[in-house]
Amino acid sequence: MTTTSFGASNAAVFIDPTIQIHTFHGLKSTTSLALARHVRFFAPSSSPSSSSSYPLLVRAVSTPAKPGVAAEPKRSKVEIFKEHSNYIRYPLNEELLTDAPNINEAATQLIKFHGSYQQYNREDRGQRSYSFMLRTKNPCGKVSNQLYLTMDDLADHFGIGTLRLTTRQTFQLHGVLKKDLKTVMSTIIRSMGSTLGACGDLNRNVLAPAAPLVRKDYLFAQQTAENIAALLTPQSGFYYDMWVDGEKFMSAEPPEVVEARNDNSNGTNFEDSPEPIYGTQFLPRKFKIAVTVPVDNSVDILTNDIGVVVISDAEGEPQGFNIYVGGGMGRTHRQETTFPRLGEPLGYVPKEDILYAVKAIVVTQRENGRRDDRKYSRLKYLISSWGIEKFRSVVEQYYGKKFKPFRELPEWKFESYLGWHEQGDGHLYCGLHVDSGRIAGQMKKTLREVIEKYNLDVRITPNQNIILTNIRNAWKRPITTVLAQSGLLQPRYVDPLNLTAMACPAMPLCPLAITEAERGIPDILKRVRAVFEKVGLKYSESVVIRITGCPNGCARPYMAELGLVGDGPNSYQLWLGGKPNQTSLARTFMDKVKIHDLEKVLEPLFYHWKRKRHSKESFGDFTNRLGFEKLKELVEKWDGPVLAPARYNLKLFADKDTFEAMDNLARLQNKNAHQLAMEVVRNYVAAQQNGRNE
């Protein structure tokens, strides 16, 4: 018999194929938990009363077999990998020591819990060139000066020379080779960063408004997000064992977090387990949480498994929280049983109970979420199956209390926090737009120079942008000037379409991507702008556009006014009907729209929005009001916009020769002379004025 140690503080697990394992099938009640505490390993010659019984191994396995049926419930392959992994260690620990550039199937699943995905360049021909993507975990998007500079260095020395800001307020570092993984991981950890739990079947990064506002509600929301992240961080030490040889780099946790994690008064915990909340199996799938304050929907609150909203009294003192549950974006093409879903109200809890309420929701999903088919393993499917009333009732058993009625909220508003703003403590912050979150080239170099020179901390936003914080007033002018010179412009100089657009990385590294997203969105946005100009929409007008290379929805396209979801090579499914404040789901409008045919669909839609909309009616609201049947009819009958007779714009062009020269250049870009001239003028004005009087 061989013994594998969990660490000095943990009991040993005996790995022997001859041992008969008495399997526990899930914590369904306090009673079943009590029974589970007596489960033991027994050697074939032993009996339950034998003194040679072995240490406890509790397994959280959802959907137990029916009474009288001996067979175990069906489980996915990933569940088996987790069960046999010695708490997310084996066989990853062995695979990392081999000379091969890649790791095996089981290790590929397990390394996600450590914050990494194995990838390969799908455009390479011949032998696959494997690399790894690392994702950090930054509650509230907070990044210290030291960690930013470390990530910037790692991108150059071990990655592909770029950093990527994600839609969950984290960094992604692409292109790390297997032989460099331990160096990169340990460097991040020693810089007080982490990738633990950034991927895998557990709680992901906890979102909160990135703005460093010195306001009671914002500070309380951010502190709550950090506490929830700490509560749901794995405890068994696998991460530190793997990357820093067991040395832990952790700040002291608030006592309320430790108390909530250890509390088992309502049967939530696996006692005597290295993972009191997660057990050996962790969760059925990834789990996402966001915290915010009323009005501020910078976090896409309704797309999360749990959405937490700070509720304050008339004096601005936080009193408690509204809780939404059941949001999620992922789906599968041509499987109507998979779908995006909005979170719905669960109830209100006083502020001192939030960690216990969140833990109760997580445990309800742990015990009842499907583990047989990962397509249906998210919390949203459990709630859709049960209904909110049954779900609330089960959660209340683990919470130990009844939820109070959901408090009324004002209308949500999307906040970008771009540009210069007061923090409220005498300092400034500056929000910078980054197309698709990709920091590269001169932009990357300049950002580093500014962050290093002024010793700034930063925040990452859920819209893939970056905020520089704690800036003195005297630094505003020089910072603005140097940023503008590298293309980091003030928001008034950025096309409004770009300001709200998002895209996932997609090709060539994502194994799930069907078509382009990040690499394709710049051209798509330019084409949409050209359509706007063609049909007479103003430059200041915009729609929320989000593009993903597959239906998993990492850039949350199902909340967009215009969502493009990859459904084939150079082909997209079009979704319409989301709102600018991200409070309603879009719906499928058309399938298999080839990228070169995009204008044939968008021109009639934008043309009729321009002419038939109500006052201040958004594009998403317009498409819902007219209905998709009518919109499809307009697309099918489209013969082009009714344009005014062509004429020379003598206010813009001083002579015919200049007009004709500009017109010839414009035709090469599918534009007219006026459109190109206006673009040149706008760029010139931006270049001259940006940085002045800032």
Side-chain angles (χ1 to χ4, degrees), residues 93-309:
N93 53 355
E94 294 184 355
E95 285 292 300
L96 291 173
L97 298 177
T98 69
D99 293 331
N102 62 314
I103 55 180
N104 67 19
E105 183 182 5
T108 299
Q109 293 298 327
L110 298 181
I111 201 170
K112 296 176 183 178
F113 291 77
H114 296 257
S116 180
Y117 283 88
Q118 180 171 264
Q119 300 179 328
Y120 63 91
N121 191 328
R122 295 168 59 185
E123 293 178 345
D124 286 348
R125 295 295 174 259
Q127 187 174 1
R128 289 182 177 180
S129 54
Y130 287 96
S131 65
F132 291 80
M133 179 271 280
L134 273 61
R135 182 184 297 150
T136 58
K137 204 167 185 184
N138 310 90
C140 318
K142 292 183 178 180
V143 180
S144 69
N145 178 269
Q146 178 189 1
L147 182 58
Y148 184 90
L149 298 178
T150 296
M151 296 301 297
D152 183 82
D153 284 336
L154 291 174
D156 288 339
H157 292 106
F158 298 100
I160 59 173
T162 71
L163 281 173
R164 197 172 196 282
L165 313 177
T166 78
T167 59
R168 292 203 70 79
Q169 297 184 277
T170 66
F171 286 117
Q172 282 186 180
L173 180 63
H174 291 91
V176 178
L177 299 179
K178 176 183 161 182
K179 66 182 180 63
D180 296 324
L181 273 174
K182 188 165 185 176
T183 299
V184 174
M185 287 284 204
S186 62
T187 302
I188 292 172
I189 294 169
R190 295 178 193 281
S191 299
M192 302 313 293
S194 178
T195 64
L196 172 59
C199 323
D201 298 343
L202 71 177
N203 180 57
R204 302 291 183 87
N205 197 50
V206 181
L207 305 188
L213 296 173
V214 183
R215 268 176 44 177
K216 289 180 180 178
D217 54 349
Y218 274 82
L219 294 174
F220 192 60
Q222 291 160 1
Q223 182 60 58
T224 301
E226 290 173 332
N227 285 350
I228 291 172
L231 172 74
L232 299 175
T233 295
Q235 299 296 300
S236 54
F238 62 81
Y239 181 67
Y240 299 100
D241 285 352
M242 198 76 68
W243 308 112
V244 287
D245 300 322
E247 185 179 359
K248 288 196 174 184
F249 290 75
M250 298 176 68
S251 56
E253 293 180 322
E256 60 268 29
V257 172
V258 177
E259 183 179 342
R261 181 189 298 121
N262 293 337
D263 178 75
N264 197 27
S265 55
N266 297 300
T268 54
N269 288 21
F270 294 99
E271 288 195 347
D272 304 317
S273 170
E275 292 291 353
I277 294 178
Y278 290 127
T280 62
Q281 301 302 113
F282 288 77
L283 298 179
R285 278 296 300 274
K286 58 187 174 184
F287 200 91
K288 298 182 177 181
I289 301 175
V291 185
T292 191
V293 302
V295 179
D296 187 336
N297 197 21
S298 60
V299 299
D300 261 1
I301 190 74
L302 300 179
T303 65
N304 290 271
D305 294 270
I306 303 177
V308 178
V309 186

Side-chain angles (χ1 to χ4, degrees), residues 510-583:
C510 178
L512 302 177
I514 304 170
T515 191
E516 300 284 0
E518 180 184 337
R519 295 194 304 192
I521 196 172
D523 182 61
I524 289 174
L525 292 177
K526 289 177 183 177
R527 290 166 63 186
V528 171
R529 174 56 63 193
V531 171
F532 267 38
E533 294 180 348
K534 184 175 183 179
V535 303
L537 286 164
K538 296 178 181 178
Y539 179 76
S540 60
E541 297 187 275
S542 183
V543 298
V544 177
I545 300 173
R546 294 176 176 178
I547 304 176
T548 59
C550 83
N552 279 6
C554 292
R556 304 190 286 272
Y558 309 118
M559 303 297 288
E561 293 182 277
L562 171 61
L564 282 72
V565 180
D567 66 355
N570 299 311
S571 172
Y572 296 91
Q573 190 179 64
L574 298 190
W575 288 64
L576 302 177
K579 291 178 178 288
N581 65 352
Q582 280 89 65
T583 56

